[in-house]
Amino acid sequence: MVVQAEEGRLTTSRVRVLVATAVPAERDAVAGAFVEPAHVVRLPGTALSLYRPDVAYDLLAAGVGPALAAARTATALTAAALAGTPYDLVVSAGIAGGFAPGAPVGSLVVADEITVADLGAETAEGFVPVTELGFGTVTHRPPAALVRLAASATGARTGTVLTVSTVTGTATRADALRERHPRALAEAMEGFGVAEAAAAHGVPVLEVRAVSNPVGPRDRAAWRIGEALAALTKAFGKLAPALESWNPHD
């Protein structure tokens, strides 16, 4: 909870957090960490589920993929800013593939780097990220103190979480990603889009992922989606109280 000085007296205000997931099942898993009922606010193309404990959480099922996640997160951020209630933090959350052995199925990952893995160009010499072509960015870095706080509260591992537009389905692709991104612990499809929207609004971002499957050959029988969603609920049950002590203005 943030303590502020106002006309010679101390007041408290809740940190406002927007949690963006891809699909409703992930949103509902996060919601399971809270006890207050949802209030839905309609926005163009989507809806927010609002939760109001000591730290105010708004939950958004933003859609699959970085483009839709960016667009809907930006819509929510803009609506809040225009209403005079801007967010202090945006969290990209959900399930993900984990790179073995660093992030086994069932583990939690907090990103210290949110990196888009396939934004660039293929050349005869290999993949070239868009930054080397002279455009944009490929990585957003959440505040280090916030990463430490989240990891300590949840017991998560920290490292790079990759954003991909095509889920990895072969060992060859997994090896190529690991070679280009040796610190990668997980891959998902929305984090970079959410981070781009947050950066455009000057709001810090965090990414929290529960690992449901190994990155590599596509084997649906090896996926543990239910276990990962349960881990996500448990993670936010620990993260929410920890964020009460976080001051976004530090």
Side-chain angles (χ1 to χ4, degrees):
M1 189 169 292
V2 181
V3 180
Q4 299 173 322
E6 181 179 303
E7 296 181 353
R9 56 192 173 87
L10 292 179
T11 63
T12 60
S13 63
R14 293 172 300 182
V15 177
R16 295 206 68 217
V17 182
L18 174 66
V19 182
T21 69
V23 297
E26 293 167 320
R27 178 200 62 201
D28 294 346
V30 175
F34 305 111
V35 296
E36 293 195 4
H39 171 61
V40 177
V41 175
R42 298 293 172 184
L43 293 174
T46 188
L48 285 175
S49 297
L50 304 183
Y51 293 79
R52 303 285 183 182
D54 289 339
V55 180
Y57 284 84
D58 293 357
L59 308 186
L60 170 67
V64 174
L68 190 54
R72 288 183 172 168
T73 300
T75 297
L77 288 167
T78 300
L82 291 175
T85 55
Y87 292 103
D88 299 297
L89 174 66
V90 179
V91 182
S92 177
I95 63 176
F99 287 93
V105 172
S107 64
L108 288 169
V109 175
V110 171
D112 57 16
E113 292 184 350
I114 301 170
T115 296
V116 61
D118 47 14
L119 182 60
E122 290 289 349
T123 73
E125 290 74 34
F127 178 79
V128 177
V130 71
T131 48
E132 294 186 21
L133 301 175
F135 304 103
T137 185
V138 294
T139 294
H140 291 280
R141 292 177 175 82
L146 186 57
V147 171
R148 290 193 297 270
L149 175 68
S152 176
T154 63
R157 303 151 195 247
T158 59
T160 301
V161 175
L162 301 179
T163 298
V164 296
S165 294
T166 301
V167 173
T168 298
T170 67
T172 299
R173 168 73 168 168
D175 291 343
L177 288 176
R178 200 192 317 268
E179 182 177 354
R180 290 208 308 266
H181 306 282
R183 296 188 67 253
L185 288 181
E187 72 164 26
M189 300 182 74
E190 295 78 32
F192 185 79
V194 172
E196 287 275 81
H201 281 260
V203 179
V205 68
L206 192 66
E207 185 167 10
V208 179
R209 295 285 173 178
V211 176
S212 60
N213 57 279
V215 176
R218 189 172 176 81
D219 178 11
R220 291 297 299 268
W223 291 16
R224 299 292 181 265
I225 293 177
E227 294 175 20
L229 292 173
L232 196 62
T233 302
K234 187 176 180 181
F236 272 85
K238 296 177 179 179
L239 180 60
L243 285 178
E244 293 179 24
S245 64
W246 176 64
N247 188 341
H249 306 292
D250 282 347

